[in-house]
Amino acid sequence: KENAWDQFDNLEKHTHWGIEFVERYTKFVKERSEIEISYAKQIRNLSKKYQLKKNSREEDEYKYTSCRAFLMTLNELNDYAGQHEVIAENLTTHIICELTRYIQDLKAERKSHFHDGRRAQQHIENSWKQLESSKRRFERDCKEADRAQQYFDKIDADINVTKADVEKARQQAQMKHQVAEDSKNEYISYLQKFNKEQNEHYYTLIPHIFQKIQEMEEKRIERVGESMKTYAEVDRKVLPIVGKCLDGMTNAAASIQPKMDTKQVVESYKSGFEPPGDVEFEDYSMSMRRTVSESSYLNSRGEGKPSRSNSRGKLWPFIKRNKLMSLLASPRQPPPPPPTSPSPGAVSNGPQSPQQPKEPLSHRLNEFMTSKHKMHCLRSLKRGGSGPEDCSHLPPEQRRKKLHAKIIDINKEIQKEIDQRDALTKMREVYIKNPHMGDPNSLDPRLEEINQNIDKLQLDARKHEAWLLEVETRLTEQGDPQRRQSGFYDSQATTPVNNNCAPVNRESPDGSYTEDHSTEHHLKSRSTEFDDDFDDDDPLPTIGTCKSLYPFEGQNEGTISMAEGELLYVIEEDKGDGWTRVRRNQDEEGYVPTSYIKVFFDTNAKGAMTYI
């Protein structure tokens, strides 16, 4: 400040820049706070977007540890977003608001200091002007006194001038000398005053003002430094909580148990059905006759049947349609749709297709679809329909779980209704004791309604408990190996009766055979229902093309008509039953006699391979 007494204007510019710097830093922190708020909002929206929705299909997914870990991660992410909101709030409270108020105070203080400096400067300038004025007046009076003295000396030396004129000139000279003397004294007084004020201005007033300005600048710089330190501390304070959020995410990931999840999958989709038995061996090395007599056919059904294996394989209700139907359509039987249709040999205008005994198909369809219940199981597992109230459309194990869950829900509803009834009963008693509070009879309709609801729910609970007892009894019986084995042999001994099929095939006049109409209707309805359950599967790939040699009407279920010379796509080759599966377009496909077509297989196609 000792060397800056003449830099008042530059100091004013510098302090103005200092205030602008504080404002710029405040704006920077404000923008950072807005970024934190926006980031926290986006993180919260992201977490909310993937949170579990109430009454949604995703609720069942969160029984898996991986899904629960994801939900925990989303919750930790939501807390993580909250810490960024805390950062924004602390930046606003401890820096932005504080600096905004400080900038206003700083501007006022700066204005005051420079106002005092300009006033002191104005005062010394006025003193200087007074000194200069007195100095010029003293100079003028001295010159006039000198001229008056010279005039007096001239008059006094002239003998022709009268004495009166000389006296007058002498008095005039004395007066001028007195005026000059007074101007001199005034000039000396102003000079002493100015020197004193100038000394006070440059050594007292201005240094004091500059000292205040310097202190103001030091406070400003210190305040900016404190704000920068607070800026870092705001982030550092949330780091422990952010670390806990990250630790929570890590713990959530560590809580994932793959074996438990896979066990949950098994428990969720376990049907309780027995897997299919072994496929019977058929010896084609012996010469086969086209016409099978009734007695020999019946004898063949009672001989050589191997016992079923009790080993459990994959859960067969999950086999896709093309795989399951290809299993049924083995080389010793026709595919599901055509088995009840007349063979190509029975068609009047075409050649005969090779025929095989019908018993294996009846046996397999009986094994997989012995009741409507299993078809409902397949439909439920495939499409997830609500099904009947007793959950009979579900596999036994799934039915048991569903009924148990329903009973729990019904009991909760009963308890809720009972709580409402108790509350209304107490309110009615209060109304009876205090009639002015309300009419107790007004609550009777509601109480009656609640009692009816409770009776209805209790009846519903007993009904579900009876169904649950029924399915648990069945599962217990299935779990007994001896009872299951004896039941299997009993079903083997009574296969013709359980299958609801004619015991023998009837021979046609031309040497081919047809099945009894009851068998045709039974198997047709089952195969049609079976197809409906899997309509939404992906279409089978084409394995080649074929050209029709003869026209075929395709009037029976599962077949497709074709004109002579028509080109079709082959999607499943002949399995030995005389039928080939073809497709005309995406919506038209079915079976045609193999002897009616000429097949051109694509060597690069994988074919309709069927595995279980």
Side-chain angles (χ1 to χ4, degrees):
K1 58 183 179 290
E2 291 80 1
N3 298 325
W5 59 268
D6 57 345
Q7 300 297 320
F8 190 82
D9 293 338
N10 290 332
L11 290 178
E12 188 175 11
K13 292 178 182 180
H14 176 78
T15 53
H16 179 71
W17 170 86
I19 293 176
E20 288 183 342
F21 175 77
V22 177
E23 290 177 339
R24 188 153 58 98
Y25 180 75
T26 305
K27 184 179 179 181
F28 157 74
V29 177
K30 185 177 181 180
E31 290 182 1
R32 162 72 192 281
S33 176
E34 292 173 352
I35 291 174
E36 292 292 339
I37 293 175
S38 176
Y39 178 69
K41 183 179 180 180
Q42 292 180 16
I43 292 294
R44 285 194 184 277
N45 290 338
L46 179 65
S47 176
K48 183 179 179 181
K49 178 180 178 182
Y50 288 93
Q51 281 284 355
L52 175 65
K53 306 294 188 302
K54 291 186 177 180
N55 300 323
S56 67
R57 184 180 58 84
E58 298 177 354
E59 287 185 355
D60 292 339
E61 298 177 0
Y62 284 88
K63 62 187 175 184
Y64 304 118
T65 57
S66 56
C67 294
R68 291 200 297 268
F70 179 56
L71 184 60
M72 293 169 61
T73 302
L74 293 178
N75 294 333
E76 295 294 343
L77 188 64
N78 194 57
D79 295 340
Y80 177 79
Q83 296 311 306
H84 285 275
E85 291 176 346
V86 171
I87 291 176
E89 182 180 355
N90 290 337
L91 289 177
T92 302
T93 304
H94 300 301
I95 298 180
I96 299 174
C97 294
E98 293 293 332
L99 286 183
T100 301
R101 287 193 294 268
Y102 176 71
I103 288 173
Q104 300 300 324
D105 297 340
L106 184 63
K107 288 181 178 180
E109 183 180 0
R110 173 182 175 275
K111 182 178 180 180
S112 175
H113 293 331
F114 282 98
H115 177 73
D116 293 342
R118 281 191 292 269
R119 187 173 58 184
Q121 195 170 6
Q122 186 68 30
H123 179 74
I124 197 67
E125 288 177 356
N126 291 335
S127 296
W128 172 255
K129 289 178 181 179
Q130 290 179 355
L131 177 63
E132 286 292 319
S133 177
S134 64
K135 179 181 177 181
R136 286 193 298 271
R137 189 167 50 253
F138 172 60
E139 182 181 6
R140 185 181 66 249
D141 291 342
C142 287
K143 289 180 179 180
E144 289 180 357
D146 190 31
R147 283 196 298 272
Q149 183 66 34
Q150 290 177 2
Y151 180 73
F152 170 72
D153 292 340
K154 182 180 178 182
I155 293 294
D156 189 33
D158 190 356
I159 58 175
N160 295 322
V161 179
T162 61
K163 187 177 180 179
D165 291 335
V166 172
E167 184 64 22
K168 183 180 179 180
R170 186 181 64 78
Q171 291 178 355
Q172 186 70 23
Q174 288 179 351
M175 185 185 67
K176 292 294 182 181
H177 277 289
Q178 184 63 39
V179 171
E181 187 65 24
D182 293 340
S183 297
K184 177 182 178 182
N185 294 333
E186 182 180 299
Y187 171 66
I188 292 172
S189 174
Y190 277 113
L191 179 62
Q192 291 175 350
K193 178 183 177 182
F194 174 77
N195 288 334
K196 182 180 178 181
E197 290 179 349
Q198 179 178 253
N199 184 72
E200 184 180 1
H201 176 79
Y202 286 110
Y203 289 97
T204 303
L205 292 178
I206 291 299
H208 179 70
I209 293 173
F210 281 7
Q211 178 68 30
K212 291 183 177 180
I213 293 175
Q214 181 177 354
E215 292 175 356
M216 180 189 70
E217 275 294 288
E218 290 175 354
K219 289 180 180 179
R220 177 189 67 81
I221 297 171
E222 182 181 4
R223 192 62 174 268
V224 172
E226 291 176 354
S227 298
M228 292 181 178
K229 183 179 179 180
T230 305
Y231 180 86
E233 289 297 326
V234 165
D235 274 346
R236 183 175 284 109
K237 285 181 180 179
V238 302
L239 287 180
I241 303 179
V242 170
K244 290 182 180 179
C245 294
L246 298 178
D247 292 341
M249 296 180 187
T250 304
N251 296 334
S255 67
I256 297 177
Q257 301 181 22
K259 291 185 178 180
M260 181 178 293
D261 284 357
T262 54
K263 185 177 180 181
Q264 285 280 357
V265 174
V266 174
E267 290 295 327
S268 298
Y269 297 106
K270 184 169 62 176
S271 65
F273 290 128
E274 290 294 330
D278 295 339
V279 178
E280 299 175 2
F281 172 75
E282 295 188 32
D283 191 357
Y284 285 94
S285 61
M286 299 176 63
S287 60
M288 304 296 293
R289 289 179 298 175
R290 289 181 58 82
T291 304
V292 182
S293 64
E294 179 176 346
S295 60
S296 62
Y297 179 65
L298 286 176
N299 292 336
S300 66
R301 295 187 61 168
E303 297 175 359
K305 285 196 175 182
S307 61
R308 295 178 179 270
S309 171
N310 289 329
S311 61
R312 293 183 178 271
K314 295 184 179 179
L315 301 178
W316 67 268
F318 298 94
I319 302 171
K320 285 192 174 181
R321 176 177 183 265
N322 58 341
K323 296 182 179 180
L324 186 57
M325 299 308 293
S326 297
L327 175 65
L328 297 177
S330 65
R332 59 188 179 88
Q333 60 196 17
T340 59
S341 62
S343 64
V347 181
S348 60
N349 62 348
Q352 299 178 352
S353 62
Q355 299 296 329
Q356 303 295 337
K358 294 288 182 168
E359 185 277 336
L361 175 61
S362 302
H363 176 70
R364 292 197 178 193
L365 288 177
N366 181 65
E367 176 68 24
F368 287 102
M369 298 173 288
T370 53
S371 66
K372 196 78 172 177
H373 173 71
K374 290 189 178 181
M375 286 298 94
H376 285 308
C377 294
L378 289 173
R379 183 178 295 108
S380 172
L381 292 173
K382 187 66 181 177
R383 297 179 179 172
S386 59
E389 186 182 5
D390 62 351
C391 303
S392 58
H393 64 294
L394 296 175
E397 186 67 27
Q398 302 300 317
R399 184 186 181 194
R400 182 187 66 80
K401 293 179 180 178
K402 190 70 174 179
L403 289 173
H404 187 266
K406 282 189 175 182
I407 291 173
I408 294 176
D409 293 338
I410 292 173
N411 289 332
K412 289 181 180 178
E413 291 295 328
I414 292 175
Q415 186 61 42
K416 188 184 298 184
E417 294 290 338
I418 291 175
D419 293 340
Q420 291 185 13
R421 184 182 63 183
D422 295 342
L424 289 175
T425 303
K426 292 180 180 179
M427 186 181 295
R428 190 173 186 277
E429 294 175 355
V430 172
Y431 285 173
I432 293 174
K433 294 179 180 179
N434 303 280
H436 65 278
M437 297 182 65
D439 183 11
N441 296 328
S442 63
L443 301 177
D444 290 343
R446 179 57 181 161
L447 283 171
E448 181 64 26
E449 180 184 354
I450 290 176
N451 288 328
Q452 291 178 1
N453 292 340
I454 292 175
D455 293 340
K456 183 179 178 181
L457 289 171
Q458 288 176 345
L459 180 62
D460 201 14
R462 288 194 294 270
K463 183 169 56 175
H464 281 79
E465 287 172 356
W467 289 333
L468 180 61
L469 179 61
E470 175 189 354
V471 72
E472 287 179 344
T473 303
R474 291 183 180 178
L475 286 174
T476 304
E477 291 176 355
Q478 290 180 6
D480 188 350
Q482 295 182 353
R483 298 187 62 175
R484 185 170 63 248
Q485 186 174 7
S486 63
F488 169 73
Y489 285 118
D490 291 342
S491 64
Q492 290 289 338
T494 59
T495 298
V497 177
N498 292 337
N499 285 343
N500 294 323
C501 297
V504 295
N505 296 323
R506 290 188 293 210
E507 190 173 331
S508 61
D510 61 349
S512 62
Y513 64 90
T514 57
E515 285 196 53
D516 182 54
H517 290 291
S518 61
T519 305
E520 176 180 349
H521 175 75
H522 183 71
L523 294 179
K524 185 185 296 183
S525 61
R526 287 186 174 178
S527 62
T528 303
E529 182 183 6
F530 196 83
D531 272 347
D532 290 342
D533 292 342
F534 295 94
D535 282 343
D536 52 356
D537 275 346
D538 295 334
L540 292 173
T542 59
I543 59 175
T545 58
C546 68
K547 180 179 180 182
S548 64
L549 304 176
Y550 311 98
F552 178 65
E553 295 181 1
Q555 297 178 350
N556 297 304
E557 181 72 24
T559 61
I560 184 174
S561 62
M562 62 180 179
E564 183 177 355
E566 184 177 0
L567 292 177
L568 301 169
Y569 293 101
V570 178
I571 58 176
E572 189 174 324
E573 61 180 329
D574 187 354
K575 301 298 183 180
D577 55 2
W579 296 90
T580 300
R581 192 172 179 182
V582 298
R583 178 188 296 139
R584 178 174 288 111
N585 51 46
Q586 291 295 332
D587 298 327
E588 289 187 79
E589 63 178 52
Y591 290 88
V592 297
T594 307
S595 58
Y596 277 46
I597 58 174
K598 184 176 182 180
V599 180
F600 306 95
F601 287 110
D602 184 2
T603 57
N604 296 325
K606 295 181 179 180
M609 302 300 292
T610 57
Y611 299 97
I612 291 184

